[in-house]
Amino acid sequence: MTSPLPAGTIIRRTLVTLLISAAGGGLAALVNLPAAWLMGGALAVAIAALLGVKVMLPTWLRDATFVLTGLSMGAAVARDSLTLIVQWPVTLAALAVELILIITLTGFLLRKLFGLDRGTAYLSSFPGHLSFVMSIAAAGVGDTRQIIIIQVIRILILTICVPIGALFLPIGHYEGAPVQAPMGFETLLPVGLACAVAGFILTKLKAPAGYVLGAMAVAICAKFAGLFEGSMPQPLLIATFILIGGLIGSRFNGITRSEFKQAAIGGLAGTALTVAIATGVTLAVAPFVDMPFGQIWLGLSPGALEGMGALGIALGFDTAFIAAHHVSRLLMLTFAIPVVAMLIRDKELP
């Protein structure tokens, strides 16, 4: 059992992580990349971690980041979002088909082309619910180090891929709602506290992504009920993006370059196939719903809820749609992961 780090070390590593994320985000903003603060920060911290820099976000700051993400997603929801619900069954059905294709084809690719054992291949192929996947792996299914590397590569590449895709694909910036005035401190404080309490309760109830979901649910319900108006203040939104970038990048902490190289090719190939499937499904479903391509893509994308939600805000899409589909993805995976894990074990038994 490792001893806890001294407080001074935690503070120093946290500050270094945030400075690197802010520098990467600031550089990306200077060259006018979409979602610059998030994408640039995540990439900068990931590179620093692989170069041996000790990066980290302490648990309390990670949880605060999740609360801020949920609050920002809820605050960004437009009042007319509910009018789009009638179109959601089409995209939710597409999401279910997409998950089956991703798990089946990516697992097959990692097994046949890269020689991974069945457990490692299929647990690496699950598009989300990372904590659940790793708990199954820790119980003796697959190689935990390779699984975490491949999964983290997926999250990082998707965070980078979407904003870059906005430059070349019909993802674009969508003016889905009029610009709202930022919330004042007298509104932000009570709404933020309510979001934190809801997130804490859901986390104690073992809900996946509890802090994000709890904060988002409270913010959306409060906004639809007319209890507050306005969006997140821009400086706080940028700070949230910097925190999320640091969180995504710091997942590479402790992964050596040799470990990364060993799993990177399979991780990149698996992520490329995943992105191709998500893009193909989005192209197939786009003619049947009246939504921007990029919004559908973000809703169906197999990235982390906090990352994809933040990208939705940065690119101006309907966060209610994106959040609903990512919550649905987590629920589907909650049932799919143990079923697939049991099938893997049955096939591996002599």
Side-chain angles (χ1 to χ4, degrees), residues 49-50 53-55 145 250-256 259:
L50 290 173
V53 178
K54 299 295 185 182
V55 293
R145 296 292 284 184
S250 64
R251 285 173 169 154
F252 283 95
N253 194 46
I255 295 173
T256 65
E259 286 177 322

Side-chain angles (χ1 to χ4, degrees), residues 57-67 203 211 243 247 251:
L57 288 187
T59 302
W60 68 269
L61 187 55
R62 180 202 65 192
D63 294 341
T65 301
F66 290 152
V67 171
T203 300
Y211 276 106
L243 285 165
L247 178 64
R251 285 173 169 154

Side-chain angles (χ1 to χ4, degrees), residues 262-314:
Q262 182 183 358
I265 298 176
L268 290 171
T271 302
L273 178 58
T274 297
V275 170
I277 292 170
T279 304
V281 171
T282 302
L283 287 168
V285 80
F288 300 98
V289 291
D290 183 22
M291 298 178 199
F293 178 91
Q295 180 172 296
I296 305 169
W297 198 99
L298 273 178
L300 299 181
S301 67
L305 171 60
E306 64 274 9
M308 296 300 103
L311 284 172
I313 297 168

Side-chain angles (χ1 to χ4, degrees), residues 62-80:
R62 180 202 65 192
D63 294 341
T65 301
F66 290 152
V67 171
L68 286 170
T69 302
L71 171 57
S72 61
M73 290 173 69
V77 168
R79 287 288 183 86
D80 60 357

Side-chain angles (χ1 to χ4, degrees), residues 58-335:
T59 302
W60 68 269
L61 187 55
R62 180 202 65 192
D63 294 341
T65 301
F66 290 152
V67 171
L68 286 170
T69 302
L71 171 57
S72 61
M73 290 173 69
V77 168
R79 287 288 183 86
D80 60 357
S81 294
L82 294 178
T83 61
L84 297 173
I85 287 180
V86 293
Q87 301 182 56
W88 289 6
V90 176
T91 49
L92 286 170
L95 176 64
V97 172
E98 176 192 282
L99 289 179
I100 294 170
L101 290 174
I102 287 174
I103 295 167
T104 304
L105 297 180
T106 305
F108 182 82
L109 173 78
L110 293 174
R111 280 186 63 215
K112 298 300 182 181
L113 212 58
F114 297 96
L116 298 184
D117 65 86
R118 194 183 300 271
T120 303
Y122 283 101
L123 288 183
S124 298
S125 72
F126 282 110
H129 224 332
L130 185 56
S131 58
F132 196 2
V133 168
M134 295 314 299
S135 67
I136 298 289
V141 180
D143 183 330
T144 55
R145 296 292 284 184
Q146 287 210 329
I147 293 168
I148 190 67
I149 294 170
I150 293 172
Q151 289 280 10
V152 170
I153 286 173
R154 171 182 60 82
I155 294 168
L156 179 65
I157 294 298
L158 283 167
T159 305
I160 298 168
C161 181
V162 176
I164 292 177
L167 300 176
F168 304 103
L169 297 174
I171 290 178
H173 182 88
Y174 171 58
E175 298 294 341
V179 176
Q180 304 177 70
M183 285 184 279
F185 182 76
E186 70 282 357
T187 301
L188 184 62
L189 182 60
V191 173
L193 287 173
C195 287
V197 170
F200 177 79
I201 292 171
L202 281 189
T203 300
K204 289 299 181 184
L205 293 174
K206 306 297 183 184
Y211 276 106
V212 179
L213 295 182
M216 183 177 62
V218 166
I220 290 175
C221 291
K223 192 159 193 181
F224 281 148
L227 299 180
F228 80 94
E229 293 290 341
S231 59
M232 285 268 282
Q234 191 64 18
L236 184 56
L237 191 57
I238 290 174
T240 302
F241 290 157
I242 290 171
L243 285 165
I244 298 170
L247 178 64
I248 292 171
S250 64
R251 285 173 169 154
F252 283 95
N253 194 46
I255 295 173
T256 65
R257 273 175 280 181
S258 60
E259 286 177 322
F260 179 78
K261 288 176 183 176
Q262 182 183 358
I265 298 176
L268 290 171
T271 302
L273 178 58
T274 297
V275 170
I277 292 170
T279 304
V281 171
T282 302
L283 287 168
V285 80
F288 300 98
V289 291
D290 183 22
M291 298 178 199
F293 178 91
Q295 180 172 296
I296 305 169
W297 198 99
L298 273 178
L300 299 181
S301 67
L305 171 60
E306 64 274 9
M308 296 300 103
L311 284 172
I313 297 168
L315 296 172
F317 294 128
D318 177 13
T319 53
F321 172 86
I322 294 168
H325 284 67
H326 281 275
V327 171
S328 299
R329 176 171 57 89
L330 290 174
L331 290 173
M332 292 177 192
L333 289 173
T334 299
F335 293 101

